[in-house]
Amino acid sequence: MDQSVSTKANSSILEVWGGTPLQGKVNISGAKNSALVLMAGALLCSEPCRLRNVPSLADIQGMAKILKALGVKIKQDNDVLELDPTHITTTDAPYELVSKLRASFFAIGPLLARMGVAKVPLPGGCAIGARPVEIHVRGLKQLGAEVYIEHGVVHAYASKLKGAKIYLDYPSVGATETLMMAATLAEGETVLDNAAQEPEVADLANFCISMGAKITGAGTKTITISGVPKLHSTDYNIVPDRIEAGTFLMAGAITHSDILLSPVVPDHLTAVIAKLRSIGFQLTPDAQQGLRIQSKGVHTGTEIETLPYPGFPTDMQSIFMALLTLSEGNSVVTETVFENRLGHVPELVRMGADIRVKGNIAVIHGVPFLSGAPVTGTDLRATAALVVAALAAKGKTSIEGLQHLDRGYSDFEQKLRGLGARIERVPAPNA
Ligand code: EPU
């Protein structure tokens, strides 16, 4: 992450005065988790590439720094990124940059495939879990690479990767993306079985296909990649961010508002839309890539279990839980994807929520109201959940942890203000 951005975010808080209904239309940015991996994917190409609809985020700046350190020339004009990876000057990714942004580990697959060597520090864990990379490493070995870890750095070598049939023990998004990128320039055919089916995986495949890669089946459990000798220039538009869209759906739902989100791909939000409908909200796709949410009054509790796509997304768990704190009746939320993703619970409890946690399960008894309080976000989606809860709480909520929020939401408070929310970023009292 850009250090100056991070320091500024650390010394600011968000003040939210809850209880104002929202109205109007909100623009959804390009998907963070597509943009990050597509930027790394550009390393596969020996010619300049253009990415459009790139969200304005601290994580994107972080990935740009890493690519620049590897020799990629980057120009940014609003949401358009021009990447020129023609001359890679080093295959060693710098620790101080990689340790700040896990997604930078994505560089390993493309660097290895194109340059025959990659040295990328292990990204380490983060607030939501240990986040190991052994599935990535095992897959690269199956593609014929020599891979070992020394002094905290993953070293990978292969004069030419060779296509292989690879079964992933778990449909890891990052491992699927790493192996798909590596296989695009391998000799022969690679089949990834039990692959992740997330829309960002399909977006990466489409980006690679637009550069001349031969990939079929992305978005299903089995992806087939026929290696090609090189990839060519492209101009590619990133898909809308389904988690940002889901976050605004929750903002609309918790304030019982009528709002329109656009652009959205409703098929990317099937599990979230189904849950919202089942607890009492009306969701209507419109012809212009829009999605409208309307409240029908009371909403009820439900059961949610996070799962790999197309199951309920772990990235929406905390944010949906904010809504369930005000549902009529009881709810049960089970987090199965990350081992430590309930950091928002004590903070929601500070706001008056009734939640008990046992292991990875949270039991929520709906309460009639939340009340504003000082709270701290522990990770990106936990912080977003606190903002959503604050929109409905009585009085003022002060939210710390904005360095997390700025990693993943572009112009968040401006977009919320555009819908009528009372939300301000102010210096922290003791900054
Ligand atoms: N896992 C392993 N071994 C591996 C790889 C993964 O055990 O080699 C485990 C992880 O520890 C985790 C589970 O598998 O418990 C899922 O991890 P996955 O690899 O699928 O996730 P990721 O690629 O690290 C991406 C997103 C996350 C999102 C997850 C799941 C990016 C940059 N990040 O992470 O996004 O939660 O997929 O959908 O694409 C976020 O945006 O807030 C975020 C955390």
Side-chain angles (χ1 to χ4, degrees):
M1 186 192 308
D2 185 317
Q3 207 58 50
S4 58
V5 173
S6 146
T7 311
K8 212 157 105 204
N10 269 328
S11 58
S12 305
I13 59 169
L14 272 185
E15 290 186 341
V16 184
W17 288 264
T20 314
L22 308 181
Q23 59 172 349
K25 184 176 166 188
V26 61
N27 178 59
I28 302 302
S29 301
K32 165 181 83 88
N33 289 343
S34 275
L36 288 170
V37 71
L38 266 63
M39 286 172 76
L43 287 167
L44 288 165
C45 188
S46 359
E47 295 173 7
C49 303
R50 184 177 294 138
L51 289 176
R52 295 179 190 271
N53 203 25
V54 178
S56 164
L57 301 170
D59 272 10
I60 298 295
Q61 300 307 327
M63 184 58 102
K65 274 193 176 176
I66 295 189
L67 295 180
K68 281 181 190 163
L70 297 172
V72 179
K73 296 198 178 73
I74 301 186
K75 272 197 260 162
Q76 184 167 8
D77 181 10
N78 294 315
D79 67 349
V80 179
L81 267 191
E82 312 264 356
L83 301 118
D84 183 354
T86 313
H87 302 291
I88 302 296
T89 49
T90 174
T91 50
D92 291 18
Y95 173 76
E96 59 288 1
L97 297 179
V98 174
S99 59
K100 290 199 184 85
L101 178 65
R102 293 196 83 266
S104 53
F105 191 72
F106 284 137
I108 198 166
L111 276 181
L112 176 63
R114 186 168 150 213
M115 311 298 290
V117 50
K119 291 180 202 159
V120 184
L122 275 170
C126 70
I128 63 175
R131 308 187 77 173
V133 289
E134 86 286 357
I135 305 175
H136 311 228
V137 168
R138 209 176 305 135
L140 292 174
K141 285 182 178 166
Q142 284 176 270
L143 290 174
E146 184 195 349
V147 189
Y148 61 90
I149 298 169
E150 202 172 72
H151 305 303
V153 176
V154 183
H155 296 242
Y157 302 91
S159 52
K160 188 75 193 161
L161 292 171
K162 296 218 163 43
K165 195 164 165 46
I166 300 173
Y167 173 82
L168 279 75
D169 284 344
Y170 183 90
S172 153
V173 175
T176 302
E177 293 170 338
T178 291
L179 300 176
M180 188 163 76
M181 288 188 280
T184 56
L185 296 180
E187 219 169 74
E189 185 179 273
T190 299
V191 180
L192 302 178
D193 256 328
N194 199 29
Q197 303 174 68
E198 269 70 0
E200 295 76 21
V201 172
D203 208 26
L204 173 63
N206 289 332
F207 170 64
C208 292
I209 290 167
S210 75
M211 296 191 291
K214 295 212 166 78
I215 304 173
T216 55
T220 75
K221 280 173 189 258
T222 306
I223 304 177
T224 305
I225 306 120
S226 298
V228 295
K230 63 193 289 206
L231 298 183
H232 57 70
S233 172
T234 187
D235 187 328
Y236 189 83
N237 204 28
I238 292 167
V239 290
D241 195 311
R242 64 195 167 103
I243 307 300
E244 188 197 14
T247 306
F248 279 101
L249 287 179
M250 296 306 133
I254 203 165
T255 53
H256 292 284
S257 304
D258 178 349
I259 60 170
L260 180 68
L261 288 60
S262 174
V264 176
V265 183
D267 280 354
H268 293 174
L269 280 159
T270 303
V272 175
I273 291 173
K275 273 291 165 202
L276 279 170
R277 284 190 175 135
S278 77
I279 66 172
F281 292 94
Q282 190 173 322
L283 286 110
T284 325
D286 83 2
Q288 268 94 45
Q289 279 200 297
L291 181 62
R292 180 174 178 191
I293 179 161
Q294 291 165 286
S295 167
K296 293 194 269 182
V298 175
H299 60 278
T300 56
T302 188
E303 293 197 9
I304 286 177
E305 182 173 327
T306 64
L307 288 169
Y309 191 86
F312 190 93
T314 172
D315 291 343
M316 286 301 304
Q317 177 262 108
S318 57
I319 308 162
F320 210 106
M321 194 187 295
L323 175 64
L324 296 178
T325 63
L326 292 173
S327 289
E328 199 172 85
N330 298 332
S331 301
V332 179
V333 172
T334 308
E335 171 60 53
T336 74
V337 178
F338 288 104
E339 65 271 26
N340 194 20
R341 215 173 192 185
L342 294 171
H344 46 285
V345 170
E347 302 304 297
L348 290 173
V349 168
R350 286 178 63 76
M351 298 176 72
D354 181 350
I355 310 173
R356 265 174 302 150
V357 171
K358 200 154 195 193
N360 62 337
I361 299 174
V363 178
I364 302 128
H365 299 279
V367 293
F369 63 89
L370 297 175
S371 55
V375 288
T376 303
T378 47
D379 66 72
L380 168 58
R381 307 303 173 186
T383 315
L386 298 176
V387 177
V388 166
L391 292 171
K394 289 187 176 174
K396 184 176 90 173
T397 301
S398 308
I399 304 166
E400 285 185 39
L402 306 191
Q403 73 278 15
H404 302 300
L405 204 60
D406 294 346
R407 287 188 38 225
Y409 291 90
S410 178
D411 302 327
F412 197 34
E413 62 259 30
Q414 290 87 333
K415 289 184 184 184
L416 283 169
R417 262 202 303 276
L419 292 170
R422 290 181 63 203
I423 179 166
E424 288 295 336
R425 185 176 292 235
V426 298
N430 44 13

